[in-house]
Amino acid sequence: MDYRPTSGPCGGPGIPDAHGRRASYLRVSVTDRCNLRCAYCTPAASFCPKPHQEILTYEEILAVVTQAVAMGVRKVRLTGGEPLVRRGLETLVEKIAALPGLLDLCLTTNGVLLADRAKALADAGLKRINVSLDSLDAETFARITGRDALDSVLSGLEAAEAAGLSPTKINVVPLAGINAREAPDFARLTLEKPVAVRFIELMPVGPAASRNRVAGVDTQTIRRAVEDALGPLSPIPGHDLLDGPAERFALAGAKGEVGFITPVTGHPCPSCNRLRLTADGKLRPCLLSDAETDIRSVLRSGGSERDIQQALAAAVAAKPAAGPRNQGVLSGCARVMHSIGG
Ligand code: SAM
């Protein structure tokens, strides 16, 4: 089989699956450790990181990413856990950024350690950054994350802008009775700054799958709250390979944009172009399905570049047409989000 990038029914580059889609976007979790304990993602009571020897080294991550890019992956996102808690991330960024054919390299972070790292990351070749920030209120921030660190995150956002990591995206997961009322405050940020605020529906993964812990708020409710407070949201047309799955809008006169990501009330599967590499070396073709391909054993048994490509091709070939959510089974999966990479 020839694993070089090809184009097909869905057009564009990427690794083909069995349903006419192409995986052109690889999300790489560089660690399962995190410096926050968000109630819906990494609650302190159940946080159980893997032993270090089970986590891929940077050399192993680079070996997988190199072959993925050779096969047509065009966008790589580094995530975690919290990627900035892993030492030396800039060296990995520099090596991935140098791969020929890669169009976009970005990072998802909670922003707590970003202020001191933004410039070095940009210098290493990082193009853009997503900062997860669920509240602009210090008390609510601490309630959700278990840490009084809102000021550090806001400094991180400023440092990212100053370092040219733009447009910065701010990811918000609205939670009923906790931060959902802040939706207009987040949208208001886009009037003054060229940021992209993304409201993401809470997915039934890990602690978020347990109904008595936290409940998400659906996109229509959030959109209505934003429009009632700030006026109509006009759609931003167009979508390309590098855009995420968000439906994008802008308020009148805004410098930035507001987006909605609807994994729960929408139908993301037919256009899914993602493949995930977990920190412990599993390829995961669907966020909500626990089917995984073990690429760590390929790497640690002296696998060749060809073997790595074969593992990548097999993982993408096994990508389901629709995840459990689209089959009507709105249930959680065995892994928690901080170990998958979100
Ligand atoms: N630590 C980094 C961060 O905070 O962005 C990267 C990892 S974190 C798992 C990535 C994203 O997943 C965060 O924006 C977080 O809010 C989101 N997330 C975690 N659990 C989620 C869930 N059940 N539903 C929706 N988003 C979730």
Side-chain angles (χ1 to χ4, degrees):
M1 183 169 172
D2 187 352
Y3 293 122
R4 281 170 305 178
T6 47
S7 19
C10 282
I15 308 170
D17 70 15
H19 307 282
R21 299 164 302 191
R22 290 178 176 273
S24 54
Y25 175 14
L26 179 65
R27 294 178 67 102
V28 178
S29 174
V30 299
T31 178
D32 61 350
R33 285 158 171 77
C34 189
N35 48 355
L36 295 183
R37 293 289 177 271
C38 297
Y40 59 90
C41 181
T42 318
S46 55
F47 183 59
C48 182
K50 303 238 176 211
H52 283 292
Q53 64 271 19
E54 290 188 23
I55 302 300
L56 294 189
T57 64
Y58 282 154
E59 288 72 21
E60 289 169 333
I61 291 174
L62 186 65
V64 176
V65 176
T66 302
Q67 296 315 315
V69 173
M71 293 170 77
V73 163
R74 292 291 170 262
K75 173 173 174 173
V76 170
R77 176 178 300 283
L78 301 177
T79 176
E82 170 48 40
L84 296 186
V85 301
R86 183 153 178 189
R87 251 176 292 157
L89 188 72
E90 291 78 359
T91 54
L92 180 68
V93 167
E94 195 169 359
K95 292 196 169 112
I96 294 178
L99 293 175
L102 188 68
L103 299 179
D104 199 12
L105 174 58
C106 39
L107 174 84
T108 294
T109 172
N110 60 34
V112 174
L113 300 173
L114 185 57
D116 292 338
R117 307 280 289 282
K119 182 164 183 327
L121 287 163
D123 290 347
L126 191 73
K127 292 204 163 60
R128 290 181 304 110
I129 207 147
N130 284 17
V131 175
S132 303
L133 174 58
D134 288 336
S135 180
L136 297 166
D137 170 74
E139 234 173 77
T140 310
F141 181 96
R143 178 177 169 200
I144 296 171
T145 65
R147 208 172 144 187
D148 180 11
L150 176 62
D151 283 348
S152 307
V153 180
L154 296 178
S155 304
L157 277 166
E158 279 168 27
E161 201 182 323
L165 292 168
S166 64
T168 307
K169 284 186 190 159
I170 298 179
N171 290 344
V172 188
V173 177
L175 305 169
I178 301 178
N179 67 341
R181 68 189 143 73
E182 292 184 57
D185 301 336
F186 277 103
R188 198 172 287 113
L189 294 177
T190 70
L191 294 172
E192 291 141 32
K193 289 185 171 288
V195 292
V197 170
R198 297 277 185 262
F199 295 104
I200 305 175
E201 289 175 336
L202 182 73
M203 286 178 276
V205 175
S210 141
R211 278 176 185 275
N212 55 8
R213 246 183 232 271
V214 274
V217 179
D218 68 275
T219 287
Q220 285 318 318
T221 305
I222 294 298
R223 182 171 173 181
R224 217 175 303 124
V226 169
E227 293 195 309
D228 284 351
L230 301 169
L233 285 163
S234 311
I236 299 175
H239 194 84
D240 70 26
L241 185 70
L242 301 182
D243 283 336
E247 258 197 278
R248 301 162 59 207
F249 299 86
L251 290 163
K255 293 193 176 133
E257 59 178 72
V258 173
F260 298 98
I261 299 181
T262 56
V264 178
T265 63
H267 298 280
C269 302
S271 58
C272 181
N273 63 348
R274 297 170 178 216
L275 175 66
R276 290 177 167 81
L277 175 63
T278 67
D280 59 340
K282 306 290 187 296
L283 291 167
R284 194 174 168 106
C286 170
L287 174 65
L288 291 182
S289 159
D290 282 317
E292 294 179 342
T293 300
D294 179 9
I295 202 163
R296 189 182 67 197
S297 61
V298 175
L299 294 161
R300 295 191 180 172
S301 61
S304 64
E305 291 180 355
R306 189 98 191 143
D307 295 330
I308 297 170
Q309 291 205 1
Q310 262 165 7
L312 284 160
V316 177
K319 192 173 170 77
R325 179 250 170 270
N326 266 17
Q327 290 162 10
V329 189
L330 198 57
S331 66
C333 55
R335 276 186 188 263
V336 288
M337 197 69 110
H338 71 90
S339 85
I340 303 172

PDB file of all heavy atoms in Angstrom, residues 34 40-41 79-83 108-110 132 134 171 173 200-203 205 208 337-338 341-342, ligand 1:
ATOM      1  N   CYS A  34      -1.641  17.556  34.871  1.00  0.00           N
ATOM      2  CA  CYS A  34      -2.204  18.898  34.737  1.00  0.00           C
ATOM      3  C   CYS A  34      -2.034  19.650  36.050  1.00  0.00           C
ATOM      4  O   CYS A  34      -2.015  19.036  37.123  1.00  0.00           O
ATOM      5  CB  CYS A  34      -3.685  18.822  34.351  1.00  0.00           C
ATOM      6  SG  CYS A  34      -4.363  20.441  33.904  1.00  0.00           S
ATOM      7  N   TYR A  40     -14.959  19.009  35.850  1.00  0.00           N
ATOM      8  CA  TYR A  40     -15.530  18.137  34.821  1.00  0.00           C
ATOM      9  C   TYR A  40     -14.460  17.371  34.046  1.00  0.00           C
ATOM     10  O   TYR A  40     -14.784  16.579  33.155  1.00  0.00           O
ATOM     11  CB  TYR A  40     -16.389  18.953  33.844  1.00  0.00           C
ATOM     12  CG  TYR A  40     -15.637  20.059  33.131  1.00  0.00           C
ATOM     13  CD1 TYR A  40     -15.000  19.829  31.922  1.00  0.00           C
ATOM     14  CD2 TYR A  40     -15.564  21.329  33.679  1.00  0.00           C
ATOM     15  CE1 TYR A  40     -14.323  20.837  31.274  1.00  0.00           C
ATOM     16  CE2 TYR A  40     -14.883  22.346  33.043  1.00  0.00           C
ATOM     17  CZ  TYR A  40     -14.256  22.093  31.840  1.00  0.00           C
ATOM     18  OH  TYR A  40     -13.574  23.092  31.201  1.00  0.00           O
ATOM     19  N   CYS A  41     -13.186  17.626  34.326  1.00  0.00           N
ATOM     20  CA  CYS A  41     -12.111  17.049  33.506  1.00  0.00           C
ATOM     21  C   CYS A  41     -11.106  16.258  34.341  1.00  0.00           C
ATOM     22  O   CYS A  41     -10.848  15.091  34.071  1.00  0.00           O
ATOM     23  CB  CYS A  41     -11.419  18.174  32.756  1.00  0.00           C
ATOM     24  SG  CYS A  41     -10.078  17.637  31.684  1.00  0.00           S
ATOM     25  N   THR A  79      -1.440  19.161  23.063  1.00  0.00           N
ATOM     26  CA  THR A  79      -2.394  19.329  24.132  1.00  0.00           C
ATOM     27  C   THR A  79      -1.978  18.431  25.292  1.00  0.00           C
ATOM     28  O   THR A  79      -0.850  17.993  25.387  1.00  0.00           O
ATOM     29  CB  THR A  79      -3.832  19.056  23.595  1.00  0.00           C
ATOM     30  OG1 THR A  79      -4.754  19.125  24.669  1.00  0.00           O
ATOM     31  CG2 THR A  79      -3.981  17.717  22.906  1.00  0.00           C
ATOM     32  N   GLY A  80      -2.896  18.167  26.225  1.00  0.00           N
ATOM     33  CA  GLY A  80      -2.554  17.335  27.374  1.00  0.00           C
ATOM     34  C   GLY A  80      -3.836  16.813  28.014  1.00  0.00           C
ATOM     35  O   GLY A  80      -4.874  16.784  27.348  1.00  0.00           O
ATOM     36  N   GLY A  81      -3.799  16.594  29.275  1.00  0.00           N
ATOM     37  CA  GLY A  81      -3.083  17.191  30.367  1.00  0.00           C
ATOM     38  C   GLY A  81      -2.799  18.674  30.077  1.00  0.00           C
ATOM     39  O   GLY A  81      -3.441  19.274  29.236  1.00  0.00           O
ATOM     40  N   GLU A  82      -1.853  19.189  30.780  1.00  0.00           N
ATOM     41  CA  GLU A  82      -1.451  20.559  30.502  1.00  0.00           C
ATOM     42  C   GLU A  82      -0.069  20.522  29.848  1.00  0.00           C
ATOM     43  O   GLU A  82       0.923  20.203  30.513  1.00  0.00           O
ATOM     44  CB  GLU A  82      -1.440  21.387  31.799  1.00  0.00           C
ATOM     45  CG  GLU A  82      -0.818  22.760  31.668  1.00  0.00           C
ATOM     46  CD  GLU A  82      -1.320  23.545  30.458  1.00  0.00           C
ATOM     47  OE1 GLU A  82      -2.508  23.501  30.137  1.00  0.00           O
ATOM     48  OE2 GLU A  82      -0.484  24.207  29.800  1.00  0.00           O
ATOM     49  N   PRO A  83       0.000  20.837  28.545  1.00  0.00           N
ATOM     50  CA  PRO A  83       1.274  20.670  27.837  1.00  0.00           C
ATOM     51  C   PRO A  83       2.420  21.495  28.430  1.00  0.00           C
ATOM     52  O   PRO A  83       3.570  21.074  28.360  1.00  0.00           O
ATOM     53  CB  PRO A  83       0.957  21.106  26.401  1.00  0.00           C
ATOM     54  CG  PRO A  83      -0.350  21.798  26.464  1.00  0.00           C
ATOM     55  CD  PRO A  83      -1.085  21.282  27.647  1.00  0.00           C
ATOM     56  N   THR A 108      -2.946  23.881  22.814  1.00  0.00           N
ATOM     57  CA  THR A 108      -4.062  24.155  23.720  1.00  0.00           C
ATOM     58  C   THR A 108      -3.531  24.125  25.142  1.00  0.00           C
ATOM     59  O   THR A 108      -2.882  23.157  25.536  1.00  0.00           O
ATOM     60  CB  THR A 108      -5.157  23.086  23.550  1.00  0.00           C
ATOM     61  OG1 THR A 108      -5.710  23.221  22.250  1.00  0.00           O
ATOM     62  CG2 THR A 108      -6.273  23.280  24.551  1.00  0.00           C
ATOM     63  N   THR A 109      -3.791  25.175  25.900  1.00  0.00           N
ATOM     64  CA  THR A 109      -3.247  25.290  27.247  1.00  0.00           C
ATOM     65  C   THR A 109      -4.266  25.922  28.172  1.00  0.00           C
ATOM     66  O   THR A 109      -5.150  26.654  27.718  1.00  0.00           O
ATOM     67  CB  THR A 109      -1.960  26.145  27.229  1.00  0.00           C
ATOM     68  OG1 THR A 109      -1.542  26.402  28.578  1.00  0.00           O
ATOM     69  CG2 THR A 109      -2.157  27.483  26.533  1.00  0.00           C
ATOM     70  N   ASN A 110      -4.102  25.674  29.478  1.00  0.00           N
ATOM     71  CA  ASN A 110      -4.954  26.402  30.418  1.00  0.00           C
ATOM     72  C   ASN A 110      -4.379  27.778  30.718  1.00  0.00           C
ATOM     73  O   ASN A 110      -4.990  28.556  31.447  1.00  0.00           O
ATOM     74  CB  ASN A 110      -5.176  25.591  31.703  1.00  0.00           C
ATOM     75  CG  ASN A 110      -3.873  25.269  32.439  1.00  0.00           C
ATOM     76  OD1 ASN A 110      -2.936  26.048  32.450  1.00  0.00           O
ATOM     77  ND2 ASN A 110      -3.835  24.098  33.071  1.00  0.00           N
ATOM     78  N   SER A 132      -7.825  27.663  27.379  1.00  0.00           N
ATOM     79  CA  SER A 132      -9.082  27.236  27.990  1.00  0.00           C
ATOM     80  C   SER A 132      -9.322  28.097  29.213  1.00  0.00           C
ATOM     81  O   SER A 132      -8.492  28.129  30.121  1.00  0.00           O
ATOM     82  CB  SER A 132      -8.992  25.762  28.408  1.00  0.00           C
ATOM     83  OG  SER A 132      -8.664  24.987  27.291  1.00  0.00           O
ATOM     84  N   ASP A 134     -12.626  29.173  31.655  1.00  0.00           N
ATOM     85  CA  ASP A 134     -14.062  28.980  31.874  1.00  0.00           C
ATOM     86  C   ASP A 134     -14.717  30.093  32.669  1.00  0.00           C
ATOM     87  O   ASP A 134     -15.942  30.122  32.781  1.00  0.00           O
ATOM     88  CB  ASP A 134     -14.316  27.630  32.567  1.00  0.00           C
ATOM     89  CG  ASP A 134     -14.082  26.457  31.619  1.00  0.00           C
ATOM     90  OD1 ASP A 134     -14.184  26.660  30.400  1.00  0.00           O
ATOM     91  OD2 ASP A 134     -13.783  25.354  32.102  1.00  0.00           O
ATOM     92  N   ASN A 171     -11.291  29.097  24.802  1.00  0.00           N
ATOM     93  CA  ASN A 171     -12.293  28.024  24.855  1.00  0.00           C
ATOM     94  C   ASN A 171     -13.035  28.065  26.184  1.00  0.00           C
ATOM     95  O   ASN A 171     -12.406  28.055  27.236  1.00  0.00           O
ATOM     96  CB  ASN A 171     -11.619  26.649  24.741  1.00  0.00           C
ATOM     97  CG  ASN A 171     -11.066  26.393  23.357  1.00  0.00           C
ATOM     98  OD1 ASN A 171     -11.426  27.089  22.405  1.00  0.00           O
ATOM     99  ND2 ASN A 171     -10.204  25.416  23.235  1.00  0.00           N
ATOM    100  N   VAL A 173     -16.215  26.216  28.368  1.00  0.00           N
ATOM    101  CA  VAL A 173     -17.232  25.171  28.493  1.00  0.00           C
ATOM    102  C   VAL A 173     -18.297  25.691  29.458  1.00  0.00           C
ATOM    103  O   VAL A 173     -18.048  25.796  30.660  1.00  0.00           O
ATOM    104  CB  VAL A 173     -16.619  23.852  29.026  1.00  0.00           C
ATOM    105  CG1 VAL A 173     -17.705  22.796  29.209  1.00  0.00           C
ATOM    106  CG2 VAL A 173     -15.536  23.340  28.087  1.00  0.00           C
ATOM    107  N   ILE A 200     -17.930  25.637  23.987  1.00  0.00           N
ATOM    108  CA  ILE A 200     -17.897  24.199  23.679  1.00  0.00           C
ATOM    109  C   ILE A 200     -18.880  23.470  24.592  1.00  0.00           C
ATOM    110  O   ILE A 200     -18.828  23.629  25.819  1.00  0.00           O
ATOM    111  CB  ILE A 200     -16.479  23.621  23.922  1.00  0.00           C
ATOM    112  CG1 ILE A 200     -15.442  24.415  23.114  1.00  0.00           C
ATOM    113  CG2 ILE A 200     -16.421  22.138  23.574  1.00  0.00           C
ATOM    114  CD1 ILE A 200     -14.004  23.988  23.382  1.00  0.00           C
ATOM    115  N   GLU A 201     -19.760  22.679  23.990  1.00  0.00           N
ATOM    116  CA  GLU A 201     -20.698  21.907  24.823  1.00  0.00           C
ATOM    117  C   GLU A 201     -19.962  20.851  25.628  1.00  0.00           C
ATOM    118  O   GLU A 201     -19.055  20.178  25.105  1.00  0.00           O
ATOM    119  CB  GLU A 201     -21.751  21.228  23.929  1.00  0.00           C
ATOM    120  CG  GLU A 201     -22.738  22.221  23.337  1.00  0.00           C
ATOM    121  CD  GLU A 201     -23.707  21.580  22.355  1.00  0.00           C
ATOM    122  OE1 GLU A 201     -23.382  20.519  21.779  1.00  0.00           O
ATOM    123  OE2 GLU A 201     -24.789  22.163  22.143  1.00  0.00           O
ATOM    124  N   LEU A 202     -20.358  20.715  26.866  1.00  0.00           N
ATOM    125  CA  LEU A 202     -19.765  19.708  27.757  1.00  0.00           C
ATOM    126  C   LEU A 202     -20.056  18.318  27.213  1.00  0.00           C
ATOM    127  O   LEU A 202     -21.215  17.970  26.968  1.00  0.00           O
ATOM    128  CB  LEU A 202     -20.353  19.851  29.160  1.00  0.00           C
ATOM    129  CG  LEU A 202     -19.792  18.893  30.205  1.00  0.00           C
ATOM    130  CD1 LEU A 202     -18.374  19.292  30.607  1.00  0.00           C
ATOM    131  CD2 LEU A 202     -20.678  18.856  31.446  1.00  0.00           C
ATOM    132  N   MET A 203     -18.995  17.541  27.025  1.00  0.00           N
ATOM    133  CA  MET A 203     -19.184  16.181  26.495  1.00  0.00           C
ATOM    134  C   MET A 203     -19.247  15.157  27.632  1.00  0.00           C
ATOM    135  O   MET A 203     -18.610  15.337  28.662  1.00  0.00           O
ATOM    136  CB  MET A 203     -18.029  15.832  25.555  1.00  0.00           C
ATOM    137  CG  MET A 203     -18.132  16.535  24.240  1.00  0.00           C
ATOM    138  SD  MET A 203     -16.737  16.141  23.190  1.00  0.00           S
ATOM    139  CE  MET A 203     -15.529  17.305  23.770  1.00  0.00           C
ATOM    140  N   VAL A 205     -17.791  12.769  28.999  1.00  0.00           N
ATOM    141  CA  VAL A 205     -16.537  12.023  29.117  1.00  0.00           C
ATOM    142  C   VAL A 205     -16.056  12.113  30.556  1.00  0.00           C
ATOM    143  O   VAL A 205     -16.100  13.184  31.155  1.00  0.00           O
ATOM    144  CB  VAL A 205     -15.464  12.641  28.182  1.00  0.00           C
ATOM    145  CG1 VAL A 205     -14.125  11.961  28.387  1.00  0.00           C
ATOM    146  CG2 VAL A 205     -15.903  12.540  26.741  1.00  0.00           C
ATOM    147  N   ALA A 208     -17.538  14.281  33.620  1.00  0.00           N
ATOM    148  CA  ALA A 208     -18.670  14.987  33.034  1.00  0.00           C
ATOM    149  C   ALA A 208     -19.792  14.024  32.649  1.00  0.00           C
ATOM    150  O   ALA A 208     -20.911  14.435  32.357  1.00  0.00           O
ATOM    151  CB  ALA A 208     -18.221  15.780  31.809  1.00  0.00           C
ATOM    152  N   MET A 337     -10.806  12.943  30.132  1.00  0.00           N
ATOM    153  CA  MET A 337     -10.376  13.850  29.069  1.00  0.00           C
ATOM    154  C   MET A 337      -8.896  14.228  29.183  1.00  0.00           C
ATOM    155  O   MET A 337      -8.215  14.356  28.183  1.00  0.00           O
ATOM    156  CB  MET A 337     -11.253  15.103  29.105  1.00  0.00           C
ATOM    157  CG  MET A 337     -11.176  15.896  27.847  1.00  0.00           C
ATOM    158  SD  MET A 337     -11.949  15.022  26.478  1.00  0.00           S
ATOM    159  CE  MET A 337     -13.379  16.019  26.217  1.00  0.00           C
ATOM    160  N   HIS A 338      -8.393  14.413  30.405  1.00  0.00           N
ATOM    161  CA  HIS A 338      -6.998  14.863  30.501  1.00  0.00           C
ATOM    162  C   HIS A 338      -6.043  13.777  30.009  1.00  0.00           C
ATOM    163  O   HIS A 338      -4.900  14.055  29.676  1.00  0.00           O
ATOM    164  CB  HIS A 338      -6.639  15.287  31.934  1.00  0.00           C
ATOM    165  CG  HIS A 338      -6.530  14.156  32.912  1.00  0.00           C
ATOM    166  ND1 HIS A 338      -5.361  13.483  33.147  1.00  0.00           N
ATOM    167  CD2 HIS A 338      -7.459  13.566  33.696  1.00  0.00           C
ATOM    168  CE1 HIS A 338      -5.556  12.531  34.046  1.00  0.00           C
ATOM    169  NE2 HIS A 338      -6.833  12.564  34.386  1.00  0.00           N
ATOM    170  N   GLY A 341      -6.666  14.137  25.806  1.00  0.00           N
ATOM    171  CA  GLY A 341      -6.145  15.338  25.182  1.00  0.00           C
ATOM    172  C   GLY A 341      -7.225  16.288  24.712  1.00  0.00           C
ATOM    173  O   GLY A 341      -6.944  17.321  24.135  1.00  0.00           O
ATOM    174  N   GLY A 342      -8.489  16.000  24.934  1.00  0.00           N
ATOM    175  CA  GLY A 342      -9.571  16.929  24.612  1.00  0.00           C
ATOM    176  C   GLY A 342      -9.751  17.128  23.133  1.00  0.00           C
ATOM    177  O   GLY A 342      -9.125  16.488  22.323  1.00  0.00           O
TER     178      GLY A 342
HETATM  179  N1  SAM B   1      -4.794  21.673  29.699  1.00  0.00           N
HETATM  180  C1  SAM B   1      -5.099  22.103  28.388  1.00  0.00           C
HETATM  181  C2  SAM B   1      -6.256  23.079  28.409  1.00  0.00           C
HETATM  182  O1  SAM B   1      -6.751  23.379  29.469  1.00  0.00           O
HETATM  183  O2  SAM B   1      -6.620  23.546  27.348  1.00  0.00           O
HETATM  184  C3  SAM B   1      -5.352  21.004  27.363  1.00  0.00           C
HETATM  185  C4  SAM B   1      -6.142  19.809  27.764  1.00  0.00           C
HETATM  186  S1  SAM B   1      -7.842  20.095  28.172  1.00  0.00           S
HETATM  187  C5  SAM B   1      -8.359  18.412  28.371  1.00  0.00           C
HETATM  188  C6  SAM B   1      -8.497  20.576  26.595  1.00  0.00           C
HETATM  189  C7  SAM B   1      -9.882  21.111  26.602  1.00  0.00           C
HETATM  190  O3  SAM B   1     -10.791  20.082  26.875  1.00  0.00           O
HETATM  191  C8  SAM B   1     -10.176  22.225  27.606  1.00  0.00           C
HETATM  192  O4  SAM B   1     -10.685  23.340  26.896  1.00  0.00           O
HETATM  193  C9  SAM B   1     -11.258  21.638  28.466  1.00  0.00           C
HETATM  194  O5  SAM B   1     -12.181  22.620  28.887  1.00  0.00           O
HETATM  195  C10 SAM B   1     -11.896  20.669  27.510  1.00  0.00           C
HETATM  196  N2  SAM B   1     -12.664  19.625  28.153  1.00  0.00           N
HETATM  197  C11 SAM B   1     -12.300  18.779  29.133  1.00  0.00           C
HETATM  198  N3  SAM B   1     -13.312  17.945  29.453  1.00  0.00           N
HETATM  199  C12 SAM B   1     -14.341  18.271  28.626  1.00  0.00           C
HETATM  200  C13 SAM B   1     -15.657  17.772  28.451  1.00  0.00           C
HETATM  201  N4  SAM B   1     -16.120  16.768  29.162  1.00  0.00           N
HETATM  202  N5  SAM B   1     -16.433  18.348  27.503  1.00  0.00           N
HETATM  203  C14 SAM B   1     -15.963  19.369  26.753  1.00  0.00           C
HETATM  204  N6  SAM B   1     -14.732  19.882  26.863  1.00  0.00           N
HETATM  205  C15 SAM B   1     -13.929  19.341  27.799  1.00  0.00           C
END
